[in-house]
Amino acid sequence: MTVPPQIVAPSILAADFARLADEVRAVEHAADWLHVDVMDNHFVPNLTIGLPVVQSLRAVTELPFDVHLMIEDPRRWAPGYADAGAYNVTFHAEACDDPVALAKDLRSAGAKAGLAVDRDTPIEPYLELLPSFDTLLIMTIKAGFGGQRFIPQLLDKVRTAREHVDSGHLELRIEVDGGIAADTIEQAAAAGADAFVAGTAVYGADDPAEAVRRLRALAERAAPGA
């Protein structure tokens, strides 16, 4: 089995919003993607940033943007993030009644399409949809707030997804988000994840770029078949 390269995506939710451009540049030559959490205070009980911030940041970095929409009505808003230059736009299965149609819209707009499943959502009903997507984001916490503790039991979803992806020979990133740090990333990688969102573990470190490199090395070491 070919082991895909491990992706580390620092989450700017944990960055200093007063210095956001500088915080992005701090990981520019170490990170693979930049994870952008968009929350609307409806789908989740928190309010973060939106399209104008993404548009502004697009001008200050060449990092691919991994936009995670924790919002109601993603069919209305998601294509705008693709138009703004996001590399990958992920929306929640729980918020969309026709995920495949929205995935097609995102791909038509030039972005990769991602499907997210929250902590309490079973993954099995969505496995048959995965050929329409480029990324499957499995929450390893309850969506809505940064800094939560990693829930290892949720890696069962990662294992199920990895078995399905490999058996179907799908080209799909399996991404995990929530509590990913030096003491948890190896578990997630061993379960079959190959993209890792890390917020506090990166932006809470003295050297964010070095933290990214360390996390990637840990994931690479633990990846199945490495």
mmCIF file of all heavy atoms in Angstrom, residues 67-109:
data_model
loop_
_atom_site.group_PDB
_atom_site.id
_atom_site.type_symbol
_atom_site.label_atom_id
_atom_site.label_comp_id
_atom_site.label_asym_id
_atom_site.label_seq_id
_atom_site.Cartn_x
_atom_site.Cartn_y
_atom_site.Cartn_z
ATOM 1 N N VAL A 67 -10.929 25.354 4.244
ATOM 2 C CA VAL A 67 -12.019 26.066 4.909
ATOM 3 C C VAL A 67 -13.038 25.068 5.446
ATOM 4 O O VAL A 67 -13.543 24.222 4.695
ATOM 5 C CB VAL A 67 -12.694 27.062 3.945
ATOM 6 C CG1 VAL A 67 -13.901 27.709 4.610
ATOM 7 C CG2 VAL A 67 -11.700 28.125 3.493
ATOM 8 N N HIS A 68 -13.331 25.179 6.733
ATOM 9 C CA HIS A 68 -14.265 24.276 7.417
ATOM 10 C C HIS A 68 -15.492 25.083 7.815
ATOM 11 O O HIS A 68 -15.442 25.899 8.733
ATOM 12 C CB HIS A 68 -13.571 23.670 8.638
ATOM 13 C CG HIS A 68 -14.429 22.761 9.452
ATOM 14 N ND1 HIS A 68 -14.044 22.342 10.715
ATOM 15 C CD2 HIS A 68 -15.630 22.188 9.199
ATOM 16 C CE1 HIS A 68 -14.998 21.550 11.198
ATOM 17 N NE2 HIS A 68 -15.960 21.448 10.313
ATOM 18 N N LEU A 69 -16.585 24.846 7.104
ATOM 19 C CA LEU A 69 -17.811 25.600 7.328
ATOM 20 C C LEU A 69 -18.682 24.902 8.369
ATOM 21 O O LEU A 69 -19.276 23.851 8.085
ATOM 22 C CB LEU A 69 -18.587 25.749 6.020
ATOM 23 C CG LEU A 69 -17.864 26.480 4.879
ATOM 24 C CD1 LEU A 69 -18.746 26.498 3.644
ATOM 25 C CD2 LEU A 69 -17.472 27.892 5.287
ATOM 26 N N MET A 70 -18.753 25.477 9.547
ATOM 27 C CA MET A 70 -19.666 25.002 10.589
ATOM 28 C C MET A 70 -20.838 25.970 10.620
ATOM 29 O O MET A 70 -20.991 26.790 11.530
ATOM 30 C CB MET A 70 -18.943 24.922 11.936
ATOM 31 C CG MET A 70 -17.974 23.756 12.006
ATOM 32 S SD MET A 70 -16.909 23.795 13.461
ATOM 33 C CE MET A 70 -15.524 24.732 12.794
ATOM 34 N N ILE A 71 -21.648 25.898 9.558
ATOM 35 C CA ILE A 71 -22.706 26.887 9.340
ATOM 36 C C ILE A 71 -23.978 26.212 8.845
ATOM 37 O O ILE A 71 -23.938 25.133 8.253
ATOM 38 C CB ILE A 71 -22.276 27.959 8.309
ATOM 39 C CG1 ILE A 71 -22.041 27.329 6.928
ATOM 40 C CG2 ILE A 71 -21.025 28.695 8.784
ATOM 41 C CD1 ILE A 71 -21.790 28.325 5.815
ATOM 42 N N GLU A 72 -25.090 26.886 9.067
ATOM 43 C CA GLU A 72 -26.336 26.501 8.428
ATOM 44 C C GLU A 72 -26.313 26.944 6.966
ATOM 45 O O GLU A 72 -25.613 27.880 6.595
ATOM 46 C CB GLU A 72 -27.520 27.159 9.140
ATOM 47 C CG GLU A 72 -27.772 26.633 10.549
ATOM 48 C CD GLU A 72 -28.987 27.280 11.186
ATOM 49 O OE1 GLU A 72 -29.526 28.257 10.623
ATOM 50 O OE2 GLU A 72 -29.396 26.796 12.262
ATOM 51 N N ASP A 73 -27.081 26.267 6.154
ATOM 52 C CA ASP A 73 -27.266 26.623 4.751
ATOM 53 C C ASP A 73 -25.942 26.740 3.988
ATOM 54 O O ASP A 73 -25.660 27.770 3.346
ATOM 55 C CB ASP A 73 -28.059 27.927 4.641
ATOM 56 C CG ASP A 73 -28.649 28.151 3.253
ATOM 57 O OD1 ASP A 73 -28.605 27.210 2.434
ATOM 58 O OD2 ASP A 73 -29.145 29.258 2.981
ATOM 59 N N PRO A 74 -25.105 25.704 4.013
ATOM 60 C CA PRO A 74 -23.840 25.806 3.279
ATOM 61 C C PRO A 74 -24.022 25.949 1.770
ATOM 62 O O PRO A 74 -23.143 26.492 1.102
ATOM 63 C CB PRO A 74 -23.123 24.501 3.636
ATOM 64 C CG PRO A 74 -24.216 23.561 4.048
ATOM 65 C CD PRO A 74 -25.245 24.417 4.705
ATOM 66 N N ARG A 75 -25.158 25.519 1.232
ATOM 67 C CA ARG A 75 -25.346 25.662 -0.214
ATOM 68 C C ARG A 75 -25.365 27.136 -0.615
ATOM 69 O O ARG A 75 -24.980 27.487 -1.741
ATOM 70 C CB ARG A 75 -26.640 24.985 -0.674
ATOM 71 C CG ARG A 75 -26.570 23.474 -0.637
ATOM 72 C CD ARG A 75 -27.516 22.823 -1.614
ATOM 73 N NE ARG A 75 -27.101 23.013 -2.998
ATOM 74 C CZ ARG A 75 -27.708 22.429 -4.029
ATOM 75 N NH1 ARG A 75 -28.738 21.632 -3.814
ATOM 76 N NH2 ARG A 75 -27.287 22.632 -5.254
ATOM 77 N N ARG A 76 -25.785 27.990 0.290
ATOM 78 C CA ARG A 76 -25.805 29.423 -0.008
ATOM 79 C C ARG A 76 -24.402 30.022 0.046
ATOM 80 O O ARG A 76 -24.056 30.886 -0.777
ATOM 81 C CB ARG A 76 -26.719 30.136 0.986
ATOM 82 C CG ARG A 76 -26.741 31.646 0.820
ATOM 83 C CD ARG A 76 -27.635 32.314 1.838
ATOM 84 N NE ARG A 76 -27.632 33.767 1.697
ATOM 85 C CZ ARG A 76 -28.232 34.596 2.536
ATOM 86 N NH1 ARG A 76 -28.907 34.129 3.579
ATOM 87 N NH2 ARG A 76 -28.169 35.905 2.339
ATOM 88 N N TRP A 77 -23.597 29.599 1.003
ATOM 89 C CA TRP A 77 -22.349 30.293 1.284
ATOM 90 C C TRP A 77 -21.088 29.593 0.765
ATOM 91 O O TRP A 77 -20.102 30.266 0.456
ATOM 92 C CB TRP A 77 -22.205 30.491 2.797
ATOM 93 C CG TRP A 77 -23.272 31.339 3.384
ATOM 94 C CD1 TRP A 77 -24.321 30.935 4.157
ATOM 95 C CD2 TRP A 77 -23.423 32.753 3.225
ATOM 96 N NE1 TRP A 77 -25.127 31.998 4.499
ATOM 97 C CE2 TRP A 77 -24.590 33.133 3.938
ATOM 98 C CE3 TRP A 77 -22.699 33.739 2.551
ATOM 99 C CZ2 TRP A 77 -25.036 34.445 4.004
ATOM 100 C CZ3 TRP A 77 -23.144 35.049 2.609
ATOM 101 C CH2 TRP A 77 -24.297 35.386 3.327
ATOM 102 N N ALA A 78 -21.106 28.280 0.675
ATOM 103 C CA ALA A 78 -19.869 27.558 0.358
ATOM 104 C C ALA A 78 -19.239 27.961 -0.968
ATOM 105 O O ALA A 78 -18.011 28.140 -1.036
ATOM 106 C CB ALA A 78 -20.130 26.051 0.403
ATOM 107 N N PRO A 79 -20.004 28.111 -2.053
ATOM 108 C CA PRO A 79 -19.354 28.474 -3.317
ATOM 109 C C PRO A 79 -18.586 29.787 -3.270
ATOM 110 O O PRO A 79 -17.600 29.965 -3.999
ATOM 111 C CB PRO A 79 -20.526 28.539 -4.305
ATOM 112 C CG PRO A 79 -21.546 27.594 -3.739
ATOM 113 C CD PRO A 79 -21.447 27.804 -2.255
ATOM 114 N N GLY A 80 -18.985 30.702 -2.402
ATOM 115 C CA GLY A 80 -18.262 31.962 -2.274
ATOM 116 C C GLY A 80 -16.844 31.776 -1.775
ATOM 117 O O GLY A 80 -15.930 32.514 -2.173
ATOM 118 N N TYR A 81 -16.640 30.770 -0.914
ATOM 119 C CA TYR A 81 -15.291 30.491 -0.427
ATOM 120 C C TYR A 81 -14.435 29.866 -1.526
ATOM 121 O O TYR A 81 -13.230 30.132 -1.615
ATOM 122 C CB TYR A 81 -15.353 29.599 0.806
ATOM 123 C CG TYR A 81 -15.884 30.325 2.020
ATOM 124 C CD1 TYR A 81 -17.249 30.372 2.287
ATOM 125 C CD2 TYR A 81 -15.022 30.999 2.879
ATOM 126 C CE1 TYR A 81 -17.746 31.063 3.378
ATOM 127 C CE2 TYR A 81 -15.509 31.690 3.977
ATOM 128 C CZ TYR A 81 -16.873 31.725 4.214
ATOM 129 O OH TYR A 81 -17.354 32.425 5.298
ATOM 130 N N ALA A 82 -15.056 29.049 -2.359
ATOM 131 C CA ALA A 82 -14.330 28.523 -3.517
ATOM 132 C C ALA A 82 -13.934 29.656 -4.450
ATOM 133 O O ALA A 82 -12.803 29.725 -4.924
ATOM 134 C CB ALA A 82 -15.194 27.492 -4.239
ATOM 135 N N ASP A 83 -14.868 30.577 -4.694
ATOM 136 C CA ASP A 83 -14.576 31.718 -5.563
ATOM 137 C C ASP A 83 -13.478 32.602 -4.986
ATOM 138 O O ASP A 83 -12.735 33.254 -5.736
ATOM 139 C CB ASP A 83 -15.839 32.557 -5.780
ATOM 140 C CG ASP A 83 -16.894 31.840 -6.612
ATOM 141 O OD1 ASP A 83 -16.532 30.897 -7.335
ATOM 142 O OD2 ASP A 83 -18.079 32.223 -6.517
ATOM 143 N N ALA A 84 -13.369 32.624 -3.658
ATOM 144 C CA ALA A 84 -12.349 33.450 -2.999
ATOM 145 C C ALA A 84 -10.967 32.813 -3.032
ATOM 146 O O ALA A 84 -9.995 33.408 -2.558
ATOM 147 C CB ALA A 84 -12.753 33.717 -1.554
ATOM 148 N N GLY A 85 -10.880 31.590 -3.577
ATOM 149 C CA GLY A 85 -9.577 30.960 -3.730
ATOM 150 C C GLY A 85 -9.267 29.866 -2.735
ATOM 151 O O GLY A 85 -8.119 29.422 -2.642
ATOM 152 N N ALA A 86 -10.272 29.405 -1.985
ATOM 153 C CA ALA A 86 -10.027 28.298 -1.065
ATOM 154 C C ALA A 86 -9.650 27.045 -1.853
ATOM 155 O O ALA A 86 -10.232 26.749 -2.900
ATOM 156 C CB ALA A 86 -11.259 28.025 -0.212
ATOM 157 N N TYR A 87 -8.694 26.318 -1.339
ATOM 158 C CA TYR A 87 -8.266 25.071 -1.971
ATOM 159 C C TYR A 87 -9.288 23.966 -1.719
ATOM 160 O O TYR A 87 -9.656 23.206 -2.623
ATOM 161 C CB TYR A 87 -6.902 24.654 -1.417
ATOM 162 C CG TYR A 87 -6.463 23.267 -1.818
ATOM 163 C CD1 TYR A 87 -5.960 23.026 -3.105
ATOM 164 C CD2 TYR A 87 -6.550 22.194 -0.933
ATOM 165 C CE1 TYR A 87 -5.559 21.757 -3.488
ATOM 166 C CE2 TYR A 87 -6.148 20.926 -1.311
ATOM 167 C CZ TYR A 87 -5.657 20.706 -2.580
ATOM 168 O OH TYR A 87 -5.270 19.450 -2.964
ATOM 169 N N ASN A 88 -9.745 23.875 -0.482
ATOM 170 C CA ASN A 88 -10.678 22.839 -0.062
ATOM 171 C C ASN A 88 -11.773 23.505 0.770
ATOM 172 O O ASN A 88 -11.473 24.288 1.676
ATOM 173 C CB ASN A 88 -9.937 21.789 0.775
ATOM 174 C CG ASN A 88 -10.807 20.614 1.174
ATOM 175 O OD1 ASN A 88 -11.152 19.779 0.346
ATOM 176 N ND2 ASN A 88 -11.174 20.543 2.445
ATOM 177 N N VAL A 89 -13.029 23.218 0.449
ATOM 178 C CA VAL A 89 -14.151 23.750 1.216
ATOM 179 C C VAL A 89 -14.943 22.568 1.769
ATOM 180 O O VAL A 89 -15.480 21.762 1.001
ATOM 181 C CB VAL A 89 -15.065 24.646 0.367
ATOM 182 C CG1 VAL A 89 -16.221 25.172 1.213
ATOM 183 C CG2 VAL A 89 -14.272 25.807 -0.231
ATOM 184 N N THR A 90 -14.993 22.481 3.087
ATOM 185 C CA THR A 90 -15.670 21.373 3.755
ATOM 186 C C THR A 90 -16.907 21.891 4.462
ATOM 187 O O THR A 90 -16.857 22.897 5.170
ATOM 188 C CB THR A 90 -14.722 20.715 4.783
ATOM 189 O OG1 THR A 90 -13.618 20.132 4.079
ATOM 190 C CG2 THR A 90 -15.431 19.634 5.570
ATOM 191 N N PHE A 91 -18.019 21.197 4.270
ATOM 192 C CA PHE A 91 -19.262 21.549 4.943
ATOM 193 C C PHE A 91 -19.780 20.330 5.698
ATOM 194 O O PHE A 91 -19.356 19.192 5.448
ATOM 195 C CB PHE A 91 -20.302 22.044 3.931
ATOM 196 C CG PHE A 91 -20.645 21.032 2.869
ATOM 197 C CD1 PHE A 91 -21.696 20.136 3.034
ATOM 198 C CD2 PHE A 91 -19.908 20.965 1.683
ATOM 199 C CE1 PHE A 91 -22.002 19.194 2.064
ATOM 200 C CE2 PHE A 91 -20.215 20.030 0.700
ATOM 201 C CZ PHE A 91 -21.259 19.146 0.895
ATOM 202 N N HIS A 92 -20.702 20.562 6.616
ATOM 203 C CA HIS A 92 -21.175 19.479 7.474
ATOM 204 C C HIS A 92 -22.342 18.731 6.855
ATOM 205 O O HIS A 92 -23.300 19.325 6.355
ATOM 206 C CB HIS A 92 -21.554 20.015 8.858
ATOM 207 C CG HIS A 92 -20.400 19.999 9.799
ATOM 208 N ND1 HIS A 92 -20.200 18.992 10.709
ATOM 209 C CD2 HIS A 92 -19.353 20.846 9.928
ATOM 210 C CE1 HIS A 92 -19.090 19.223 11.387
ATOM 211 N NE2 HIS A 92 -18.558 20.349 10.928
ATOM 212 N N ALA A 93 -22.256 17.414 6.931
ATOM 213 C CA ALA A 93 -23.336 16.560 6.444
ATOM 214 C C ALA A 93 -24.646 16.893 7.138
ATOM 215 O O ALA A 93 -25.715 16.849 6.516
ATOM 216 C CB ALA A 93 -22.965 15.090 6.683
ATOM 217 N N GLU A 94 -24.563 17.249 8.412
ATOM 218 C CA GLU A 94 -25.769 17.509 9.200
ATOM 219 C C GLU A 94 -26.499 18.776 8.750
ATOM 220 O O GLU A 94 -27.668 18.980 9.092
ATOM 221 C CB GLU A 94 -25.408 17.646 10.682
ATOM 222 C CG GLU A 94 -24.670 16.463 11.274
ATOM 223 C CD GLU A 94 -23.156 16.562 11.110
ATOM 224 O OE1 GLU A 94 -22.672 17.532 10.468
ATOM 225 O OE2 GLU A 94 -22.451 15.673 11.632
ATOM 226 N N ALA A 95 -25.819 19.628 7.984
ATOM 227 C CA ALA A 95 -26.392 20.918 7.594
ATOM 228 C C ALA A 95 -26.835 20.963 6.142
ATOM 229 O O ALA A 95 -27.281 22.017 5.678
ATOM 230 C CB ALA A 95 -25.373 22.031 7.836
ATOM 231 N N CYS A 96 -26.732 19.841 5.425
ATOM 232 C CA CYS A 96 -26.984 19.873 3.983
ATOM 233 C C CYS A 96 -27.851 18.687 3.574
ATOM 234 O O CYS A 96 -27.517 17.543 3.888
ATOM 235 C CB CYS A 96 -25.661 19.834 3.229
ATOM 236 S SG CYS A 96 -25.808 20.066 1.447
ATOM 237 N N ASP A 97 -28.927 18.965 2.865
ATOM 238 C CA ASP A 97 -29.825 17.886 2.461
ATOM 239 C C ASP A 97 -29.414 17.218 1.156
ATOM 240 O O ASP A 97 -29.946 16.156 0.814
ATOM 241 C CB ASP A 97 -31.271 18.394 2.358
ATOM 242 C CG ASP A 97 -31.433 19.533 1.365
ATOM 243 O OD1 ASP A 97 -30.430 19.921 0.731
ATOM 244 O OD2 ASP A 97 -32.566 20.039 1.219
ATOM 245 N N ASP A 98 -28.471 17.796 0.427
ATOM 246 C CA ASP A 98 -27.982 17.186 -0.812
ATOM 247 C C ASP A 98 -26.481 17.421 -0.925
ATOM 248 O O ASP A 98 -26.015 18.255 -1.701
ATOM 249 C CB ASP A 98 -28.718 17.772 -2.026
ATOM 250 C CG ASP A 98 -28.486 16.964 -3.298
ATOM 251 O OD1 ASP A 98 -27.555 16.136 -3.325
ATOM 252 O OD2 ASP A 98 -29.240 17.169 -4.268
ATOM 253 N N PRO A 99 -25.691 16.674 -0.141
ATOM 254 C CA PRO A 99 -24.245 16.902 -0.128
ATOM 255 C C PRO A 99 -23.579 16.717 -1.490
ATOM 256 O O PRO A 99 -22.641 17.436 -1.830
ATOM 257 C CB PRO A 99 -23.736 15.874 0.885
ATOM 258 C CG PRO A 99 -24.905 15.555 1.751
ATOM 259 C CD PRO A 99 -26.089 15.657 0.845
ATOM 260 N N VAL A 100 -24.052 15.761 -2.264
ATOM 261 C CA VAL A 100 -23.408 15.497 -3.551
ATOM 262 C C VAL A 100 -23.581 16.679 -4.501
ATOM 263 O O VAL A 100 -22.652 17.057 -5.221
ATOM 264 C CB VAL A 100 -23.958 14.198 -4.164
ATOM 265 C CG1 VAL A 100 -23.457 14.021 -5.599
ATOM 266 C CG2 VAL A 100 -23.548 12.998 -3.306
ATOM 267 N N ALA A 101 -24.765 17.288 -4.500
ATOM 268 C CA ALA A 101 -24.990 18.447 -5.365
ATOM 269 C C ALA A 101 -24.082 19.606 -4.987
ATOM 270 O O ALA A 101 -23.517 20.278 -5.869
ATOM 271 C CB ALA A 101 -26.456 18.881 -5.282
ATOM 272 N N LEU A 102 -23.902 19.837 -3.685
ATOM 273 C CA LEU A 102 -23.019 20.921 -3.268
ATOM 274 C C LEU A 102 -21.566 20.596 -3.599
ATOM 275 O O LEU A 102 -20.795 21.484 -3.985
ATOM 276 C CB LEU A 102 -23.187 21.201 -1.774
ATOM 277 C CG LEU A 102 -22.335 22.330 -1.196
ATOM 278 C CD1 LEU A 102 -22.416 23.601 -2.035
ATOM 279 C CD2 LEU A 102 -22.741 22.619 0.258
ATOM 280 N N ALA A 103 -21.181 19.333 -3.469
ATOM 281 C CA ALA A 103 -19.820 18.941 -3.851
ATOM 282 C C ALA A 103 -19.564 19.255 -5.322
ATOM 283 O O ALA A 103 -18.493 19.754 -5.693
ATOM 284 C CB ALA A 103 -19.605 17.459 -3.572
ATOM 285 N N LYS A 104 -20.540 18.988 -6.162
ATOM 286 C CA LYS A 104 -20.397 19.303 -7.590
ATOM 287 C C LYS A 104 -20.245 20.808 -7.804
ATOM 288 O O LYS A 104 -19.433 21.248 -8.631
ATOM 289 C CB LYS A 104 -21.605 18.776 -8.360
ATOM 290 C CG LYS A 104 -21.658 17.264 -8.468
ATOM 291 C CD LYS A 104 -22.908 16.808 -9.210
ATOM 292 C CE LYS A 104 -22.964 15.287 -9.317
ATOM 293 N NZ LYS A 104 -24.210 14.817 -9.974
ATOM 294 N N ASP A 105 -21.024 21.599 -7.064
ATOM 295 C CA ASP A 105 -20.925 23.050 -7.179
ATOM 296 C C ASP A 105 -19.528 23.542 -6.788
ATOM 297 O O ASP A 105 -18.963 24.431 -7.446
ATOM 298 C CB ASP A 105 -21.963 23.731 -6.295
ATOM 299 C CG ASP A 105 -23.389 23.544 -6.797
ATOM 300 O OD1 ASP A 105 -23.560 23.144 -7.968
ATOM 301 O OD2 ASP A 105 -24.327 23.784 -6.009
ATOM 302 N N LEU A 106 -18.994 22.983 -5.714
ATOM 303 C CA LEU A 106 -17.668 23.402 -5.250
ATOM 304 C C LEU A 106 -16.588 23.034 -6.265
ATOM 305 O O LEU A 106 -15.696 23.835 -6.561
ATOM 306 C CB LEU A 106 -17.368 22.761 -3.897
ATOM 307 C CG LEU A 106 -18.174 23.322 -2.731
ATOM 308 C CD1 LEU A 106 -18.005 22.446 -1.485
ATOM 309 C CD2 LEU A 106 -17.756 24.752 -2.418
ATOM 310 N N ARG A 107 -16.677 21.834 -6.784
ATOM 311 C CA ARG A 107 -15.690 21.424 -7.787
ATOM 312 C C ARG A 107 -15.799 22.287 -9.040
ATOM 313 O O ARG A 107 -14.783 22.646 -9.652
ATOM 314 C CB ARG A 107 -15.871 19.945 -8.107
ATOM 315 C CG ARG A 107 -15.367 19.013 -7.005
ATOM 316 C CD ARG A 107 -15.714 17.575 -7.297
ATOM 317 N NE ARG A 107 -14.918 16.638 -6.492
ATOM 318 C CZ ARG A 107 -15.033 15.318 -6.568
ATOM 319 N NH1 ARG A 107 -15.905 14.782 -7.411
ATOM 320 N NH2 ARG A 107 -14.279 14.534 -5.813
ATOM 321 N N SER A 108 -17.027 22.629 -9.413
ATOM 322 C CA SER A 108 -17.216 23.500 -10.587
ATOM 323 C C SER A 108 -16.622 24.877 -10.364
ATOM 324 O O SER A 108 -16.179 25.537 -11.308
ATOM 325 C CB SER A 108 -18.711 23.627 -10.910
ATOM 326 O OG SER A 108 -19.252 22.391 -11.310
ATOM 327 N N ALA A 109 -16.610 25.311 -9.096
ATOM 328 C CA ALA A 109 -16.045 26.617 -8.752
ATOM 329 C C ALA A 109 -14.533 26.567 -8.561
ATOM 330 O O ALA A 109 -13.922 27.594 -8.258
ATOM 331 C CB ALA A 109 -16.707 27.147 -7.485
#
